[in-house]
Structures are given as C-alpha cells and as structure tokens.
Amino acid sequence: MLAEEPQVVVLSSLFPSSRQPTAGLFVRERMFRVGRHLPMTVVSPKAWFPLQSLLRRWRPGFRPGAPEFELQQGTEVWFPRFLCLPGLLKRFDGFFMAIGAFARMRELKRSGRLDILDAHFAYPDGFAACLLGRWLNVPVTVTLRGTESRHARDAVLRPLLQRSLTRVDHVFAVSESLRQVALELGVPENHVTVVGNGVDIDRFRIVPRNQARLELGLPASAPVLITVGGLVERKGFHRVIACLPILRQQFPDLRYLIVGGPSPEGDWTDRLQEQCRSMELTDCVQFLGPLPPDRLSGVLSAADVFVLSTRNEGWANVLLEAMACGLPVIATDVGGNREVVSSPDLGEIVPFDEAESLCVAIGNAIRHPWDRTRIRRHAEENTWDQRVTVLETHFRAIHREATLQRP
C-alpha cells in the first residue's frame, strides 16, 4: 500500500449499531466522511462482564451490547467485548479494552489494513489505542471529545490521560477549550490540532414553519422551544423544564419539544416525565422520542429557539444542526459551546446552572427578531468539507513519516 493511501482503523467504544442506533452518531458522521477518501475500518469495543445479562432484569437498557460485526454504509464495523465491571476499577478499563480489541487489530495489521489507529475519547479509548499502537507498531491519533475535561480533574484518571496523550503521534481536539486541556496535560503545541465538527447542510435545512408545525400538531403562533439529545442528566432537559412555569407567565401558549431517548450514559425519561407531571406541564411539553437525523429538519424548523442547558460538551453537533434550520441557540458556557455560538446574531451563552439567567435568555430569545438567514449562513460556513480535508492531510502525513522511518 502506498504511503499516500493509509489504511485507517477507528477505535471508539461509542459507535452506532443495530442495537444502539443513536450511540456515537457524531463519531460515525465525522469518520465515515473521512472514509470516503481513505480506506477505513471501525473497531468498537463493548463493555462486558460475566452475568451482566442478569442486571437487565432490573435495568432493561443496561449494556445492550452489539452484534459481532456489521457492514455500515460499506464500512466494516467490528464489536469485540472487553471486561469492564460497572462502577469499579475504572483505571483498568483502558488496559482491558486494549486486550479485548487486540485480536481484531492484529488480524487487520496482518492483512495490511491497519496503518493508523485513530481513537476517539482520551480514556479509555485513547489509552487502549496507545497500548495497541505500541504492541502492533503503528502510529496513533486521539480525538478529544469532551469527557477529557472531567477526567483531567480525576486524581486516578489524570495520570492515565497524560501517559497516553503525550505518547501518541497526534491529538485532535473538537474545540479550543479541549486543546487547552491537552496542553495542560503536557501535549506539545505542535502535536494538537483543533478540528471541530461540521454540519450536513443538505440534510439539515429550513422547512417552512407552517408545514413543520402542522405535521406536529402545533399551534401556528405559539412560541416553541426545542432540545435534542440523549435523555440524561448532563444534557439538562430538567433545567429547561424548571424554567417553564416562569416563562408561561409571559408566554401562555409556550411549547417545549424534547427529542431523544436513552443513551449509554443512562435514561432519564421517566424522571423527566414525572417532573412535568409534578409541575403540571404535561400540556406544554411534548416527548417526541429519538428521531433519525433525516427527520430532524422538520422538527427543528417547527421551533423558535433551540436550548441546550448542558453541564459538559466538547463540540455539540446539534448546535450547528439547529442553526442550519435557522434556529437561534441558547446554550451554557461549557466546553466548545461558546465557539459555536460565536456571535450575538446566533444566540446567547449563559452561565451553567444559573436558572434565572437561563430563563431570562430564553424569554429574550423568544421576543427577539432573529435573522434566520444569517443563522443559516453561519452553518453553511461550518460544513464538514474543510474538517475532512484537515484530517485527511494529517493522516497522510503521519503515515508518510511512519513509512520513511521503517527499516
């Protein structure tokens, strides 16, 4: 294989499968676009421990697993298992992930299909990739996606992050804030590059509002808020719901659309629905469940304001997706949110977990006469094309250097 055509293997424990179709869509969206230019295989290790199926009697959605193999959009995706005890011995997850993925990686290397190992999330995936790269003598890249800020504050995990990130060939960060985390962990400046996520402006587009609302049974003149994401604590749906009684005093016809379902982080569906019942909000909050990306344009276009009161993000794809549908964004000042909502013309960034600030910002956004064409144009300036070009260039350069160093 020529140096100009490196065979890339993606290592990510968070990746869609037939059993978890919405898990890690942002990883697949990014890397399958790179795969249009470079040969690619995906290895997605799945956490497992003996008798874990017994836990599903009490937690039905716990670790649904995945088939051993799937062919997704023409790309091979393998799902090996690795030993992982729930809530215990997290410092060993990276090692066990490497052990679990080793046989598949070795087979790919022997068949000439592994030139670069590209991991997503620094721990445990990046740590596992660092070990596999050393065992199989292949260069390794790691993409930071948001969990690294929290792990860097963990006394147990921080040394593991430092060990892996300072030994890989290159680090990609989806936001400048994550680049700063990498630098604080000791990664040299010339070894870390910011490559944010992009948006598919053909898939996400403005749909006529009356048409979109008619399909959802929404009043034509009612103010409508929307949040899209996994129904977990981190995403902050409950913080938005808590604002609704105050906002309804100003906007009696207000509606709030919740799009999403369980994720590998957990499932707050019942808790959120109970919150709505206890606050007598069932008439204005609509749970639409998880929706495929191709259906989101209509739902987003039915809304007036997108709200994401999250406690942690790397680079939330959904913000640009909302903007591509002409929506202003209210988001918390965490991770790369400020880098996406980079102008007052696009929305507002508010402090995390300040209910009053969130309520005021939402109310102001409902009243503000937004230039939705300007918002859409910002999304058009952040498509995947330029991101993919940067990644492809780095992969080719890393492979070329590795080829020259071989005896």
Side-chain angles (χ1 to χ4, degrees):
M1 181 61 63
L2 297 175
E4 289 76 15
E5 289 294 328
Q7 298 267 351
V8 179
V9 175
V10 174
L11 179 73
S12 177
S13 56
L14 194 61
F15 204 85
S17 72
S18 56
R19 297 184 193 174
Q20 288 187 295
T22 61
L25 281 172
F26 48 89
V27 179
R28 185 172 71 182
E29 183 76 7
R30 179 181 176 113
M31 296 314 300
F32 273 18
R33 290 177 181 274
V34 177
R36 297 173 185 174
H37 304 271
L38 298 175
M40 181 171 293
T41 307
V42 177
V43 177
S44 180
K46 294 302 175 187
W48 168 89
F49 74 98
L51 304 179
Q52 71 177 19
S53 60
L54 294 177
L55 286 181
R56 296 196 190 103
R57 296 182 179 180
W58 296 273
R59 297 172 59 187
F62 177 76
R63 291 188 183 176
E68 180 181 354
F69 169 81
E70 288 183 347
L71 189 66
Q72 299 184 15
Q73 300 177 32
T75 298
E76 291 186 7
V77 183
W78 298 89
F79 298 96
R81 299 189 305 184
F82 72 98
L83 180 64
C84 177
L85 302 178
L88 300 174
L89 304 175
K90 305 312 289 181
R91 71 178 68 191
F92 297 112
D93 282 356
F95 175 76
F96 284 124
M97 182 181 289
I99 293 294
F102 178 72
R104 177 56 52 192
M105 293 291 185
R106 181 178 58 185
E107 177 60 30
L108 291 170
K109 178 69 182 301
R110 287 176 173 174
S111 62
R113 299 175 58 201
L114 170 54
D115 295 317
I116 295 177
L117 183 54
D118 175 58
H120 292 256
F121 298 100
Y123 192 85
D125 311 66
F127 186 89
C130 189
L131 293 176
L132 289 164
R134 189 167 76 240
W135 296 342
L136 297 170
N137 191 30
V138 294
V140 174
T141 62
V142 174
T143 297
L144 310 186
R145 291 190 163 276
T147 57
E148 294 77 17
S149 299
R150 173 167 50 87
H151 289 165
R153 297 190 297 269
D154 187 304
V156 173
L157 298 183
R158 182 181 177 90
L160 302 179
L161 262 66
Q162 289 178 309
R163 175 181 170 184
S164 56
L165 294 182
T166 55
R167 295 182 181 183
V168 300
D169 294 82
H170 204 80
V171 175
F172 300 111
V174 298
S175 66
E176 175 60 30
S177 63
L178 287 173
R179 176 179 176 271
Q180 293 302 320
V181 172
L183 296 179
E184 291 169 8
L185 289 169
V187 179
E189 286 195 23
N190 63 337
H191 277 205
V192 57
T193 303
V194 176
V195 185
N197 289 328
V199 61
D200 185 336
I201 59 172
D202 295 322
R203 172 180 286 171
F204 293 93
R205 63 196 186 283
I206 298 175
V207 175
R209 180 173 299 179
N210 289 341
Q211 171 189 331
R213 291 197 172 191
L214 183 63
E215 292 179 359
L216 292 170
L218 294 170
S221 59
V224 178
L225 310 176
I226 188 170
T227 305
V228 179
L231 299 191
V232 295
E233 187 279 336
R234 176 172 64 89
K235 292 294 184 179
F237 291 90
H238 58 296
R239 289 183 277 273
V240 181
I241 292 171
C243 291
L244 296 183
I246 296 174
L247 290 169
R248 291 184 83 186
Q249 295 175 14
Q250 308 168 55
F251 312 100
D253 295 333
L254 182 68
R255 299 289 191 274
Y256 179 37
L257 305 180
I258 292 178
V259 180
S263 86
E265 292 182 45
D267 183 6
W268 267 43
T269 304
D270 292 342
R271 193 176 306 195
L272 293 172
Q273 291 177 341
E274 175 57 32
Q275 181 185 12
C276 292
R277 286 190 291 268
S278 66
M279 299 180 72
E280 299 183 350
L281 296 171
T282 55
D283 61 328
C284 76
V285 179
Q286 199 169 339
F287 289 82
L288 300 180
L291 297 176
D294 290 338
R295 289 191 56 194
L296 285 177
S297 285
V299 178
L300 288 166
S301 296
D304 295 292
V305 179
F306 187 92
V307 187
L308 187 66
S309 185
T310 178
R311 72 163 57 248
N312 180 59
E313 291 292 337
W315 178 288
N317 292 40
V318 71
L319 300 186
L320 280 177
E321 292 167 358
M323 291 179 186
C325 297
L327 285 189
V329 170
I330 305 299
T332 42
D333 194 7
V334 299
N337 288 352
R338 184 176 290 277
E339 297 170 47
V340 186
V341 189
S342 55
S343 164
D345 295 336
L346 306 172
E348 184 176 350
I349 295 295
V350 299
F352 171 72
D353 208 20
E354 287 191 12
E356 183 177 355
S357 297
L358 180 61
C359 291
V360 169
I362 294 173
N364 290 341
I366 292 173
R367 285 185 288 263
H368 188 76
W370 297 97
D371 182 347
R372 297 181 185 276
T373 302
R374 160 75 178 91
I375 295 172
R376 165 73 181 184
R377 188 164 59 247
H378 178 72
E380 292 172 343
E381 294 167 354
N382 287 273
T383 63
W384 281 108
D385 293 345
Q386 59 181 343
R387 272 70 162 173
V388 169
T389 298
V390 173
L391 292 169
E392 181 186 353
T393 300
H394 274 283
F395 286 141
R396 291 184 185 280
I398 290 169
H399 180 49
R400 191 178 303 115
E401 182 177 349
T403 302
L404 291 174
Q405 291 177 353
R406 290 174 188 160

